[in-house]
């Protein structure tokens, strides 16, 4: 495999983990509705602080991590779109006697477009952050990605 393919795959994996992590954090509060901007900022701050601490980031690296978090949050916001209740949107697909295929395809198109538009920015921010790490920090990232709990485990 050529180096750029390896880097691209690593970046994609990192983006998937980052987006999945933030999306998971955002979906824990179904009973209370979507997370408030304050709660999102709190969770984002905790994630950034944990990564900063674990990797012992310098100011430049932390700035790049914050930019990555901004890009991931923008992508998450774009994915959610204009809806105030994503769960209700999904429930509407099965509210009748037939699955609403047209509506499901429309939702899929919206979400796919949001990812396609914002992904280059997320990938570039992730690459800039990862490339700013020293070899020891990069090794730590790779090792944490191999662990079952990843960044959010208690180790």
């Amino acid at each position: 495999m050529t180096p750029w393919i390896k880097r691209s795959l690593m970046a994609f994996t990192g983006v998937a983990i980052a987006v999945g992590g933030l999306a998971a954090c955002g979906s824990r509060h179904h009973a209370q509705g979507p997370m408030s901007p304050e709660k999102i900022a709190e969770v984002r701050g905790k994630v950034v602080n944990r990564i900063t601490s674990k990797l012992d980031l310098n100011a430049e690296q932390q700035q790049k991590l914050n930019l990555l978090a901004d890009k991931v949050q923008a992508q998450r916001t774009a994915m959610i779109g204009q809806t105030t209740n994503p769960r209700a949107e999904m429930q509407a697909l099965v509210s009748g006697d037939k699955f609403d295929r047209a509506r499901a395809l429309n939702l899929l198109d919206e979400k796919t477009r949001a990812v396609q538009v914002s992904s280059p920015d997320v990938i570039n921010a992730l690459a800039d952050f990862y490339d700013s790490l020293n070899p020891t920090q990069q090794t730590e990232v790779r090792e944490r990605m191999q662990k079952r709990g990843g960044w959010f485990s208690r180790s």
Side-chain angles (χ1 to χ4, degrees):
M1 221 184 267
T2 61
W4 73 268
I5 291 175
K6 286 181 183 177
R7 286 179 105 176
S8 296
L9 289 173
M10 184 66 158
F12 181 77
T13 302
V15 168
I17 291 169
V19 170
L22 286 177
C25 291
S27 64
R28 288 185 182 162
H29 303 282
H30 290 300
Q32 298 98 8
M35 283 177 43
S36 68
E38 296 80 18
K39 184 65 176 174
I40 291 170
E42 177 188 334
V43 169
R44 178 185 183 269
K46 286 179 182 179
V47 170
V48 167
N49 288 340
R50 183 171 180 100
I51 293 171
T52 298
S53 170
K54 294 288 183 185
L55 293 178
D56 193 26
L57 300 179
N58 63 33
E60 178 190 352
Q61 292 168 328
Q62 190 169 5
Q63 182 181 6
K64 289 179 189 255
L65 177 61
N66 277 306
L67 178 63
L68 173 59
D70 291 343
K71 298 296 183 184
V72 169
Q73 182 57 41
Q75 185 177 50
R76 181 181 182 277
T77 301
M79 279 285 295
I80 292 171
Q82 301 298 320
T83 185
T84 57
N85 190 346
R87 179 172 278 188
E89 261 187 22
M90 294 302 293
Q91 289 171 339
L93 296 175
V94 294
S95 63
D97 59 339
K98 300 271 188 196
F99 184 82
D100 191 343
R101 295 169 197 248
R103 192 176 201 170
L105 287 171
N106 187 36
L107 279 172
L108 177 65
D109 286 343
E110 285 177 25
K111 306 310 177 190
T112 302
R113 266 192 310 279
V115 170
Q116 287 175 332
V117 168
S118 59
S119 287
D121 289 341
V122 173
I123 290 170
N124 286 330
L126 178 61
D128 290 344
F129 170 67
Y130 184 79
D131 292 348
S132 75
L133 300 176
N134 65 43
T136 303
Q137 292 168 319
Q138 289 178 350
T139 299
E140 178 71 17
V141 169
R142 287 188 294 270
E143 288 173 357
R144 285 197 170 270
M145 290 176 73
Q146 293 297 319
K147 291 182 181 177
R148 180 175 165 92
W151 285 103
F152 303 102
S153 66
R154 297 289 177 202
S155 61

